[in-house]
Amino acid sequence: MTIQGIDVAYTAVATAENGRDGRVSTDDGRLDVVVNPPKEMGGSGAGTNPEQLFAAGYSACFQGALGVVARKEKADISGSTVTAAVSIGKTEAGGFGLQVAISASIPNLDAETARSLVEKAHQVCPYSNATRGNITVDLSVV
């Protein structure tokens, strides 16, 4: 597998204290959240968790990529939404892994055009590029 090089435009910096049961904050102070394991994993569920944060970032990034592709193809994606469902569970090797389901709603387009745009967005989205070949990412148009 080839590692992709980039011309860095921006670097986000976040620091975690106490791992999955603590706090995460960014160096600019714009994000400062309590993280706790979800109840389904034996935690309190009182705060957010890394999977929710990953889902939020992935959905926003994918929506942005969808916009880039739509502009190039002069497609109307107004009113569209992208939802990322991030799941965590045990792997066969004994560790933990993730899988993602991306669903897009694009009300102004027919199903075939919407599906084509979603597949193209998956090729340019930085989160998709980072996860490609590492985890399962399912795409759907709803």
Side-chain angles (χ1 to χ4, degrees), residues 10-35:
Y10 169 76
T11 300
V13 178
T15 301
E17 298 171 23
N18 295 324
R20 296 181 66 87
D21 204 2
R23 167 174 245 97
V24 176
S25 60
T26 56
D27 64 337
D28 63 5
R30 293 184 184 202
L31 180 71
D32 188 348
V33 296
V34 172
V35 290

Side-chain angles (χ1 to χ4, degrees), residues 50-138:
E51 292 70 40
Q52 289 173 322
L53 295 170
F54 187 70
Y58 203 157
S59 63
C61 189
F62 200 96
Q63 178 78 36
L66 185 62
V68 168
V69 171
R71 282 189 293 282
K72 285 182 181 176
E73 299 201 9
K74 298 183 182 357
D76 179 10
I77 64 162
S78 59
S80 66
T81 60
V82 172
T83 301
V86 175
S87 301
I88 184 170
K90 290 186 179 180
T91 66
E92 292 177 5
F96 284 88
L98 300 174
Q99 64 185 32
V100 177
I102 299 282
S103 61
S105 171
I106 311 173
N108 296 327
L109 298 178
D110 63 88
E112 184 178 325
T113 303
R115 178 71 184 180
S116 175
L117 287 179
V118 166
E119 289 174 359
K120 290 174 182 175
H122 188 49
Q123 296 308 307
V124 299
C125 173
Y127 276 65
S128 293
N129 287 334
T131 60
R132 187 169 290 108
N134 298 310
I135 65 172
T136 299
V137 177
D138 293 319

